[in-house]
């Protein structure tokens, strides 16, 4: 029996909790009230907690110089691992429960009953804050009940508080059908709450050395058929979109507002160090991913169509085979590069009708569109909607530069499911930072300072970062700045007005200053921009 929760106990709890989730994974999945990925709660919780344990396993046992205790350090590793590996709505919420525990206990010298109660209260607050529209009768209700009971115990006895929390969670779980009509109709308790009960039971076992006296209720062996209802969110939305995002707090606040207009089941949670897990149900996948691109740098993008998880589509839903890519391009060299990748090229600034004609001309049933310009993305989305009416499934990957489109096309794989291929392309595009070098056409005030006509401007992802007088010097400087953030491959596209030897001089600079970075250079032929740069 433990008097305090130390780092060794945290590690045992993580291992024991994961074992319990794995043992009950199928049972929790069977609690789903709708056969969608966000409802595969047992699987999602296992994947989330597996990531937490992997983060612990990678720790070399050294403490960072931040004042955290060994148990606090272990909890922080778990919380960050869970955030990075969170799957589905329940996984995202669980990562925030762990973060609430970690934030409260990180610097506490000894974790006894009252400290655990405080941590559970903060974990509950963090869980509710993670969800744009909290719903009672879910995992949120169960963690809130556990926190309230821990506080009511009013004891320094770690064992008594842990038991009180676990027992209250079990009772709260049993009440979830009374709070959520969908659960009552299905004859089940909340799946996410069931998973949390298992984790609290595992904590009791670690602290007391005994199995909990009151296990969480198991689902009934049989249940009557019901009209499918999602575990969370409306069935008006067809896709679950989830990704990790590197962004600042201000950008994430704008992202939340943007995503709230696109769908529901929205959860955007962070680790306190600039990494966020974004989860939302939408119909417009491209808009959801694009919102992430605007906010920061999305990665590990996953998109799942809910209908794929249910009954197989009928004959009318089947589409003929065939895929294609339509790319918007400016410059003869760039167009040739895309054509060599098997893409249909459309000149810059197309109309919706022109894009639609190109999509239909491919003769394919599934088409990905790469707009390569923020101003063309809305046109591409409109063309995609029109194409749907003609029986063509179109996905728009929100590329903002030709270098991002090249990165996306490089990872295409016709052996993958179309949706998975789109995800891979979006990830590759999002991982490619881009820059444009041009001459200032007029006097203006930029974030990098005042610019005068003829000055050389280097824009990184649409924002002026450097103002120079010499084209080559400015080009090499912007490449250095981009590689300072990491990178293994630099792509250079020389414009129609680029002086002879520009690419060779930039390549030579990179080879000297960054010997482990590969450089690929092409004649792009684009107007106005002597050089486009991509860094992957």
């Amino acid at each position: 029996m433990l008097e305090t929760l130390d780092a060794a106990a945290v590690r045992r709890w993580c291992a024991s909790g994961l074992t319990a989730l794995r043992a009950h994974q199928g049972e929790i999945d069977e609690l789903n009230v709708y056969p969608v990925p966000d409802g595969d709660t047992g699987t999602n919780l296992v994947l989330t907690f597996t990531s937490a344990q992997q983060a612990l396993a990678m720790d070399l046992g050294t403490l960072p110089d931040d004042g955290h205790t060994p148990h606090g350090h272990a909890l922080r590793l778990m919380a960050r691992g869970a955030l990075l590996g969170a799957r589905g709505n329940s996984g995202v919420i669980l990562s925030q429960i762990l973060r609430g525990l970690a934030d409260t206990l990180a610097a506490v010298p000894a974790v006894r009953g009252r400290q655990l109660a405080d941590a559970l209260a903060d974990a509950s607050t963090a869980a509710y804050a993670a969800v744009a529209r909290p719903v009672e009768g879910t995992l949120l209700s169960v963690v809130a009940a556990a926190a309230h009971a821990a506080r009511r115990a009013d004891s320094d006895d770690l064992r008594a508080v842990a038991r009180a929390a676990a027992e209250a969670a079990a009772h709260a779980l049993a009440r979830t059908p009374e709070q959520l009509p969908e659960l009552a109709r299905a004859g089940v308790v909340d799946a996410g709450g069931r998973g949390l009960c298992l984790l609290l039971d595992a904590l009791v076992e670690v602290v007391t050395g005994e199995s909990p006296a009151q296990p969480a209720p198991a689902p009934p062996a049989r249940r009557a058929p019901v009209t499918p209802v999602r575990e969370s969110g409306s069935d008006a939305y067809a896709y679950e979109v989830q990704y990790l995002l590197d962004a600042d707090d201000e950008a994430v606040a704008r992202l939340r507002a943007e995503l709230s207009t696109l769908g529901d089941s929205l959860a955007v949670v962070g680790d306190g160090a600039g990494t966020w897990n974004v989860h939302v149900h939408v119909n417009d996948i491209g808009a959801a991913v694009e919102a992430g691109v605007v906010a920061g740098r999305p990665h590990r993008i996953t998109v799942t169509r809910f209908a794929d998880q249910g009954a197989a589509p009928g004959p009318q839903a089947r589409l003929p085979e065939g895929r294609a890519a339509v790319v918007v391009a400016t410059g003869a060299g760039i167009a040739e590069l895309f054509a060599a990748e098997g893409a249909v090229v459309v000149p810059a600034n197309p109309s919706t009708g022109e894009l639609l004609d190109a999509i239909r001309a491919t003769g394919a049933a599934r088409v990905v569109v790469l707009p390569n310009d923020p101003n063309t993305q809305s046109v591409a989305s409109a063309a995609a909607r029109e194409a749907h009416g003609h029986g063509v499934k179109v996905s728009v990957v929100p590329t903002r530069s030709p270098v991002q489109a090249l990165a996306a096309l490089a990872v295409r794989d016709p052996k993958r499911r179309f949706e998975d291929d789109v995800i891979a392309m979006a990830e590759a595009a999002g991982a490619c930072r881009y820059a444009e070098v041009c001459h200032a056409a007029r006097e203006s005030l930029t974030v990098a300072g005042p610019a005068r006509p003829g000055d050389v401007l280097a824009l990184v992802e649409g924002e002026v970062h450097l103002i120079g007088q010499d084209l080559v010097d400015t080009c090499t400087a912007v490449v250095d700045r981009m590689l300072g953030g990491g990178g293994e491959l630099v792509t250079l596209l020389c414009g129609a007005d680029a002086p002879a030897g520009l690419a060779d001089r930039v390549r030579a600079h990179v080879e000297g200053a960054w010997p482990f970075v590969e450089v690929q250079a092409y004649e792009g032929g684009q107007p106005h921009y002597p050089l486009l740069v991509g860094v992957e």
Side-chain angles (χ1 to χ4, degrees):
M1 293 188 293
L2 298 179
E3 298 294 333
T4 62
L5 190 70
D6 57 16
V10 170
R11 291 177 178 275
R12 291 199 303 275
W13 173 49
C14 186
S16 178
L18 182 55
T19 298
L21 288 175
R22 283 174 173 162
H24 295 271
Q25 178 176 341
E27 169 197 311
I28 298 174
D29 281 343
E30 283 299 312
L31 289 173
N32 296 336
V33 294
Y34 189 77
V36 299
D38 206 46
D40 293 336
T41 309
T43 300
N44 287 342
L45 291 177
V46 166
L47 291 172
T48 301
F49 222 66
T50 296
S51 184
Q53 189 187 51
Q54 288 172 344
L56 269 181
M58 291 174 64
D59 178 39
L60 300 178
T62 57
L63 283 174
D65 187 21
D66 56 8
H68 293 159
T69 59
H71 60 262
H73 179 55
L75 285 168
R76 282 200 177 279
L77 288 172
M78 281 182 65
R80 177 159 176 81
L83 174 76
L84 297 181
R87 293 290 297 273
N89 211 40
S90 295
V92 171
I93 294 173
L94 176 60
S95 75
Q96 292 309 283
I97 291 173
L98 292 175
R99 183 184 174 187
L101 293 172
D103 286 350
T104 304
L105 300 177
V108 173
V111 180
R112 296 186 171 86
R114 285 187 171 83
Q115 289 75 33
L116 177 60
D118 290 342
L120 285 170
D122 288 344
S124 177
T125 300
Y128 273 86
V131 181
R133 300 179 183 88
V135 176
E136 297 303 325
T138 64
L139 171 56
L140 299 175
S141 304
V142 177
V143 69
H148 292 154
R151 280 276 175 86
R152 286 196 304 270
D154 193 24
S155 172
D156 281 328
D157 188 331
L158 181 64
R159 294 159 295 182
V161 171
R163 283 196 184 103
E167 290 172 4
H171 286 115
L173 178 63
R175 292 194 302 272
T176 54
E178 302 170 13
Q179 299 171 291
L180 203 57
E182 291 86 350
L183 296 175
R185 288 197 297 269
V188 298
V189 295
D190 178 69
R194 170 68 166 145
L196 180 63
C197 285
L198 289 170
L199 294 178
L200 290 174
D201 289 346
L203 179 61
V204 170
E205 190 167 358
V206 167
V207 170
T208 66
E210 305 170 357
S211 297
Q214 184 175 357
R222 299 183 64 181
R223 60 184 180 183
V226 295
T227 301
V229 180
R230 297 170 193 253
E231 179 191 12
S232 61
S234 164
D235 60 5
Y237 300 103
Y239 299 93
E240 178 193 53
V241 176
Q242 190 165 356
Y243 49 82
L244 296 179
L245 178 72
D246 297 332
D248 57 38
D249 292 357
E250 186 176 331
V252 168
R254 293 193 296 269
L255 173 68
R256 280 195 179 99
E258 175 69 16
L259 291 179
S260 67
T261 67
L262 297 176
D264 67 6
S265 194
L266 173 62
V268 182
V269 299
D271 66 348
T275 299
W276 305 79
N277 192 306
V278 180
H279 173 280
V280 67
H281 294 174
V282 295
N283 286 327
D284 192 338
I285 300 169
V289 176
E290 165 63 10
V293 172
V294 172
R297 188 169 307 283
H299 48 104
R300 293 197 197 177
I301 304 169
T302 61
V303 179
T304 310
R305 191 167 73 105
F306 293 134
D308 290 342
Q309 306 301 310
Q316 292 182 344
R318 296 180 62 84
L319 289 173
E321 294 301 319
R323 301 184 190 179
V326 173
V327 187
V328 179
T330 301
I334 293 176
E336 289 177 7
L337 288 172
F338 290 143
E341 292 289 339
V344 173
V345 180
V346 178
N349 197 28
S351 67
T352 301
E354 289 171 335
L355 265 182
L356 180 60
D357 288 343
I359 290 168
R360 297 183 64 187
T362 66
R366 296 169 176 83
V367 179
V368 62
V369 176
L370 306 169
N372 294 338
D373 181 352
N375 295 325
T376 307
Q377 287 176 21
S378 59
V379 175
S381 296
R385 289 192 294 270
E386 290 293 323
H388 181 75
H390 295 277
V392 183
K393 183 175 184 178
V394 179
S395 289
V396 179
V397 175
T399 52
R400 291 170 161 245
S401 169
V403 292
Q404 289 186 317
L406 288 172
L409 291 170
V411 301
R412 278 197 305 170
D413 184 356
K415 296 179 182 178
R416 280 194 291 245
R417 258 188 354 137
F418 177 71
E419 291 79 4
D420 294 336
D421 214 25
V422 171
I423 292 167
M425 294 175 73
E427 285 189 312
C432 179
R433 287 165 287 153
Y434 67 95
E436 304 152 307
V437 180
C438 64
H439 292 278
R442 63 186 61 86
E443 186 171 349
S444 63
L445 183 63
T446 74
V447 294
R452 296 173 178 81
D455 284 350
V456 182
L457 307 181
L459 296 83
V460 179
E461 301 191 344
E463 196 76 54
V464 177
H465 276 227
L466 296 171
I467 300 175
Q469 301 301 315
D470 182 83
L471 177 62
V472 174
D473 289 346
T474 306
C475 289
T476 56
V478 75
V479 171
D480 284 342
R481 177 165 294 194
M482 295 175 75
L483 287 174
E488 300 173 349
L489 172 65
V490 174
T491 300
L492 306 175
L493 296 178
C494 289
D497 300 326
L502 175 62
D504 291 336
R505 295 180 67 178
V506 175
R507 183 200 297 273
H509 172 80
V510 173
E511 290 174 348
W514 307 89
F516 299 105
V517 175
E518 180 183 355
V519 180
Q520 295 180 346
Y522 306 97
E523 291 297 327
Q526 70 274 6
H528 312 308
Y529 296 94
L531 189 68
L532 300 179
V533 182
V535 172
E536 301 171 59

